[in-house]
Amino acid sequence: MAGSKPNQMHLKYESQIREPLVDGNKDYHQITEDIIRPIEAKPSKLWYIGFSISVALLLFGVYSVYRDVTYGIGQWNLNKTIGWGWDITNFVWWVGIGHAGTLISAILLLFRQGWRTGVNRAAEAMTIFAVMCAGQFPIFHMGRVWLAFFIFPYGNTRGPVWVNFDSPLLWDVFAISTYFTVSLLFWYSGLIPDLATVRDRAKTKFRKFFYGTLSFGWTGSTKHWQRHEALSLVLAGLATPLVLSVHTIVSFDFATSVIPGWHTTIFPPYFVAGAIFSGFAMVQTLLIVVRKVLNLQEYITLGHIEAMNKVIVLTGSIVGCAYLTELFMAWYSQNEYEAYAFFYSRANIFSPYGWAYWGMMFCNVVSPQVFWFRKLRRNVVFTFFMSVIVNIGMWFERFVIIVTSIYRDYLPSSWSYYYSPTIWEIGFYLGTFGLFFTCFFLFAKYFPTIAVAEIKYVLKTSGENYKERMDKVEEQKVEEFAHDYAH
Amino acid sequence: MALKRYVVGCFDDEEVLFPAVKKVRNAGYKIQDVYTPFPVHGLDHALGMRETSLHTAGFIYGILGTTTALAGMGWVFTKDWPMNIGGKPNFPLPALIPITFELTVLFSAVGMVMTFCYLCQLAPFVRKHHFHPRATDDLFVMAIECTDRTNVDDLKGFLQSAGAVEVNYQVAESGWWFGRYDVEPKLYREENPVIG
């Protein structure tokens, strides 16, 4: 039976209703070719242009940070009332973006969502770069950055004086460094087999050395794959609560304070939903460009984009619910400070930051609702546009939360009217864009942007050409099928 | 390590590979390993491998992280430098939970990845013999270790009949050694390869 009709035997089966995840007539070798060819080819002109712009932004950021370190935080327009401004806004924004990668690779792995295979590798890389960017802000906000190691608990010569383990700011240190480490390990352990594929195709001496070193001597042995699978599954299980915990802890920075507008128990779920929302938007922004430039439309299909847009409309609506709940609670709690923060500082369009609040409402709550329409979910250009809008909205959300809550505190004499950033604050922010895109350009050029092995794994269940073959199988009677395919 | 003799059969479809594995094992040959470009589910069972205990290791590392975090913070707050923060207890368990959780995850993840690399002997500058360069591309490569009773030609024919698209005979180092992939390996040669 075994050898009789080998090409018709199927070890796995997926419903025909599901869209194929790999379009076109693919076999295993073709997948390797398609994904690894961009690494072996010379970078295009477009790549050089993009990379140069990113490096230029990065250098501007480095100079801004240099000024910040040399002359102090006075380079920024923060003041005693508005002590957290652009820097912490940017920090929370980048950390939020850094949630999509691990969400895609961990939570969607546990939920057995096949479509994650096409996008997880790039999304994880994006996560790591975004967390790197996020980390810069609190570190340089410290001012005396050369003492940044004080945030780690170690037996020092000052007592030893320990860090305060009760403080949410310290929880942040642990949460973000753990998140970064675990995401990096998760990403890299998944990358090893694919780097081995690049290594085994390498023609030049440098490439053999480079990918040979990075791929750790991977052979593809069954025992290694078995352990690799176990590792991925357990790491996914660990990373799932970790993703949720990181933005929860970031939200604790605010929620455990007694400042109107921050002091709410809704923050953890609301921040996590917002993080997934903005993270997916950033994945869309990047992958829509990557699939076009690297010609990967058959692996990152419209189905993938649609799936991510569904997540965007879901999480956007959760965020919208949270905004409305906050307004309701501000009224229902009968707390005048809470009411002032929400109904004067935020929701009143004529207040100094009313424009930011309504900009946020429009970008995050109203505009993603267009994704209820299938046609728009599957429109690449429109999705790209929307993904940028969503990230602008999510930036405003953090700005609104941070600045509108503190610019008018309990003491009217210390009220500060208008907070606008200096060029060096903006430069720092642009610099993190430079860092992010420099890393991403290097990643897209030198590493497989799609998990090659995982695509091969889903090919026979979800490849377009294999699905077509299954049509005949579906017409078979159950008894016949069982007879033909029983091992 | 030692040089060993192998007969290598390459298959281009996992659906041919499975029955072939069965046949080869039933015929009494010793499969050293099957090298595949992606995880083929069920192949480990077909080869008679036992489940990995990596999960258990992960659990133990996790427990170690939990203990480290609680013991460390508890020691700092109650013994080494107790602080009176608004008259609150010195060991405020709820406030310690975030860090405890993070360290549990951190220890477990780092420990598991290190154990994984150790068990699979994966590290930079580690080299191993690759039976076929396409084993990471599109071929499923079965390496069968020869004994003194193995008839190589028979085995080759047997593999071909089981559906192998390419069959060859290799004498190879069975373990790993330090080396770089851009430099051709210069291994010591034994006069008589050890026959397992």
Side-chain angles (χ1 to χ4, degrees), chain A residues 142 216 253 411 435:
Chain A
M142 289 176 197
F216 286 18
D253 292 348
L411 196 64
L435 177 65

Side-chain angles (χ1 to χ4, degrees), chain A residues 142-156:
Chain A
M142 289 176 197
R144 292 184 217 172
V145 69
W146 51 93
L147 298 179
F149 62 91
F150 277 22
I151 58 178
F152 292 106
Y154 66 103
N156 52 55

Side-chain angles (χ1 to χ4, degrees), chain A residues 240-474:
Chain A
T240 299
L242 182 67
V243 178
L244 304 180
S245 85
V246 173
H247 227 59
T248 297
I249 291 177
V250 170
S251 81
F252 283 166
D253 292 348
F254 304 99
T256 56
S257 70
V258 277
I259 292 179
W262 291 3
H263 188 56
T264 51
T265 47
I266 200 178
F267 261 28
Y270 155 31
F271 267 51
V272 170
I276 295 164
F277 181 53
S278 67
F280 269 84
M282 189 54 111
V283 172
Q284 296 278 39
T285 312
L286 292 175
L287 285 187
I288 284 173
V289 179
V290 165
R291 75 195 277 274
K292 180 86 195 144
V293 173
L294 301 183
N295 214 1
L296 296 172
Q297 285 100 326
E298 284 169 330
Y299 299 95
I300 305 171
T301 62
L302 283 181
H304 288 88
I305 291 176
E306 187 185 2
M308 287 194 277
N309 280 337
K310 283 179 185 166
V311 177
I312 288 181
V313 69
L314 170 73
T315 48
S317 306
I318 295 175
V319 166
C321 264
Y323 294 161
L324 298 181
T325 310
E326 278 188 326
L327 288 178
F328 171 75
M329 286 312 293
W331 166 75
Y332 188 68
S333 68
Q334 294 286 300
N335 180 317
E336 55 186 310
Y337 302 105
E338 202 74 11
Y340 185 83
F342 281 98
F343 296 117
Y344 177 75
S345 301
R346 294 187 187 175
N348 178 359
I349 199 158
F350 300 109
S351 74
Y353 296 107
W355 57 273
Y357 185 81
W358 287 104
M360 161 193 104
M361 273 290 195
F362 176 76
C363 294
N364 291 351
V365 185
V366 181
S367 65
Q369 301 306 324
V370 296
F371 282 142
W372 289 105
F373 300 101
R374 187 168 192 268
K375 238 188 175 145
L376 293 174
R377 283 202 301 269
R378 297 177 76 88
N379 184 328
V380 178
V381 180
F382 181 74
T383 301
F384 183 79
F385 172 74
M386 274 307 300
S387 68
V388 176
I389 293 281
V390 164
N391 264 324
I392 293 174
M394 284 310 290
W395 191 89
F396 273 122
E397 181 199 291
R398 278 65 179 256
F399 183 77
V400 163
I401 290 173
I402 292 171
V403 175
T404 61
S405 282
I406 54 179
Y407 85 112
R408 292 194 174 179
D409 58 11
Y410 295 107
L411 196 64
S413 62
S414 60
W415 285 4
S416 175
Y417 181 54
Y418 207 79
Y419 167 72
S420 59
T422 63
I423 180 76
W424 308 117
E425 252 172 307
I426 298 171
F428 189 9
Y429 184 44
L430 292 178
T432 52
F433 271 101
L435 177 65
F436 182 77
F437 283 106
T438 303
C439 290
F440 199 82
F441 272 111
L442 288 174
F443 164 74
K445 178 65 198 76
Y446 293 104
F447 290 83
T449 39
I450 291 180
V452 185
E454 288 183 36
I455 292 285
K456 285 176 189 165
Y457 175 67
V458 298
L459 176 71
K460 289 211 171 166
T461 44
S462 311
E464 194 183 8
N465 46 339
Y466 285 91
K467 285 212 130 175
E468 276 164 14
R469 279 184 222 172
M470 290 302 275
D471 281 341
K472 292 180 203 97
V473 177
E474 292 230 321

Side-chain angles (χ1 to χ4, degrees), chain A residues 173-183 242, chain B residues 102-103 105-106:
Chain A
V173 173
F174 279 88
I176 288 172
S177 47
T178 301
Y179 185 59
F180 178 72
T181 315
V182 174
S183 302
L242 182 67
Chain B
E102 299 299 332
L103 283 193
V105 171
L106 184 70

Side-chain angles (χ1 to χ4, degrees), chain A residues 81-92:
Chain A
T81 311
I82 304 175
W84 282 3
W86 267 54
D87 52 350
I88 302 300
T89 302
N90 298 337
F91 159 69
V92 182

Side-chain angles (χ1 to χ4, degrees), chain A residues 156-173:
Chain A
N156 52 55
T157 52
R158 301 183 299 280
V161 174
W162 295 97
V163 288
N164 181 7
F165 296 108
D166 292 353
S167 161
L169 297 181
L170 190 76
W171 302 348
D172 244 3
V173 173

Side-chain angles (χ1 to χ4, degrees), chain A residues 43-83:
Chain A
S44 62
K45 209 178 226 170
L46 213 63
W47 187 87
Y48 278 112
I49 295 171
F51 186 68
S52 313
I53 296 172
S54 311
V55 172
L57 279 177
L58 176 61
L59 291 177
F60 183 47
V62 169
Y63 181 66
S64 307
V65 169
Y66 160 76
R67 288 192 57 106
D68 163 37
V69 173
T70 318
Y71 303 107
I73 297 295
Q75 290 291 298
W76 298 347
N77 236 350
L78 297 174
N79 51 46
K80 257 183 98 87
T81 311
I82 304 175

